[in-house]
Amino acid sequence: MMTRMWPPGGGTRRPLAPRMAAPREPADPARIGRRVVRRRAKGMAAGAVAAALEDARFDARQNFRHEDLGDDVRGRAELAEWERLHQLLADAAPGTVYDPDGDDVVQAELAADAAAAAAREAELREAARIAARADELQALRELGTLEQTEPRHGDEAVRDELTSRAGSYVQPDVDAWLAHALAAHRGHYADPAAREAAAGLLHPPVLAHAALLAALTQLVADADVDQLTFAARPGSPPPTPKPPASSPRSSPAPSPRGAGHESRPGGRRRLGGAQRHRPSLRGTAGRRDR
């Protein structure tokens, strides 16, 4: 009996790439307090704003008595905003009501918020572009066609992304690809401005490798950067030589001492067991004479 996958097609469908959630702006209690005051004060005259200011001062005195409310950032921001609006209407013509659209401070804050939001959106788009380009270069690496790819503007940040994905380990093939492209003025490095900017974007080993390749092309006549395959990445350790294989002829000669001889610590030799117990010939002859 066959086991059916659930949901249907779940065994063959590729998993979707995880989506990056947009970072949320951290909450600012002071900004929240100012916005609350402005919404309440919209359409108020000077007298109403003065009454609201007295209420805010009373609340601040009450909060000061409680230890947990002594560091109320939002309360202090609301009190400061009421004081500002009270001064604003006091300097205006009689009968003027508060309108946030005509408040220069409010308009400046809105413009700053819009610029910050646009900057965050640009950072998210750039991060998405770098991630997509990193995926593309990784696929070219697996196909073995990275060296034939023309670099683009912003590939320096893509190199950092690939290094970060590899656990901060150096990627020799990517560094060599960028060094060859910088030395040969390929891709966007054909622009002198891009080459000058690369000095502050690429790591020193990559810049040193590119300078070495450029110097070698000047020394060798009619040489291309792609032909200098022997120029390794600077700082790479040289290959460790392997020890020569041992042959039967190079084996040490056997010791000339016999098996029955042993060496004493003092340098004197001691006879083996068979020679140690040999009877003395002089003693034997004496016993025979007797």
Side-chain angles (χ1 to χ4, degrees):
M1 181 177 181
M2 294 182 60
T3 303
R4 184 179 180 183
M5 299 296 296
W6 186 261
T12 58
R13 182 181 301 176
R14 296 181 59 186
L16 298 177
R19 299 182 59 183
M20 182 183 301
R24 296 184 178 181
E25 182 182 359
D28 187 359
R31 178 181 297 181
I32 295 174
R34 289 191 295 268
R35 290 179 178 178
V36 170
V37 170
R38 292 163 188 171
R39 285 196 298 265
R40 288 184 54 191
K42 185 176 182 179
M44 284 187 177
V49 172
L53 176 58
E54 292 299 326
D55 294 339
R57 288 173 177 173
F58 177 78
D59 294 339
R61 290 192 298 268
Q62 292 297 114
N63 294 338
F64 185 75
R65 299 178 180 179
H66 300 277
E67 183 178 359
D68 56 339
L69 299 177
D71 192 14
D72 188 9
V73 179
R74 176 176 171 178
R76 291 198 303 268
E78 291 182 1
L79 177 59
E81 188 65 14
W82 281 118
E83 291 176 350
R84 189 186 70 84
L85 297 183
H86 179 264
Q87 186 64 35
L88 181 64
L89 292 178
D91 298 339
T96 304
V97 296
Y98 177 72
D99 185 9
D101 297 337
D103 192 346
D104 296 338
V105 176
V106 175
Q107 297 305 315
E109 288 185 1
L110 292 177
D113 293 343
R120 288 193 298 270
E121 290 292 334
E123 291 179 359
L124 292 176
R125 289 194 299 268
E126 180 65 13
R129 186 197 68 80
I130 291 175
R133 179 62 171 171
D135 295 339
E136 179 182 357
L137 293 183
Q138 181 62 31
L140 294 174
R141 293 171 68 184
E142 296 175 357
L143 294 175
T145 58
L146 178 61
E147 298 179 356
Q148 306 172 6
T149 307
E150 296 291 333
R152 303 176 187 174
H153 176 73
D155 280 349
E156 297 84 4
V158 178
R159 180 258 180 199
D160 297 338
E161 173 67 18
L162 291 173
T163 305
S164 177
R165 291 182 181 182
S168 300
Y169 284 95
V170 177
Q171 307 297 299
D173 54 345
V174 179
D175 289 353
W177 169 63
L178 289 175
H180 279 76
L182 181 59
H185 301 172
R186 292 207 316 259
H188 71 291
Y189 289 132
D191 187 4
R195 295 195 296 271
E196 293 180 3
L201 298 176
L202 293 175
H203 287 220
V206 182
L207 298 175
H209 192 182
L212 175 62
L213 292 173
L216 290 176
T217 54
Q218 295 178 2
L219 294 176
V220 181
D222 299 335
D224 191 7
V225 175
D226 296 332
Q227 299 175 356
L228 302 176
T229 57
F230 57 86
R233 185 174 60 90
S236 58
T240 305
K242 296 183 179 180
S246 60
S247 60
R249 296 182 179 179
S250 61
S251 58
S255 175
R257 298 175 181 178
H261 295 79
E262 298 181 3
S263 176
R264 290 188 177 182
R268 301 172 60 185
R269 280 189 288 177
R270 185 175 59 184
L271 296 177
Q275 300 178 3
R276 188 186 311 160
H277 300 287
R278 172 180 290 181
S280 176
L281 298 177
R282 181 178 301 178
T284 306
R287 283 195 297 269
R288 288 179 180 178
D289 294 342
R290 293 177 187 176

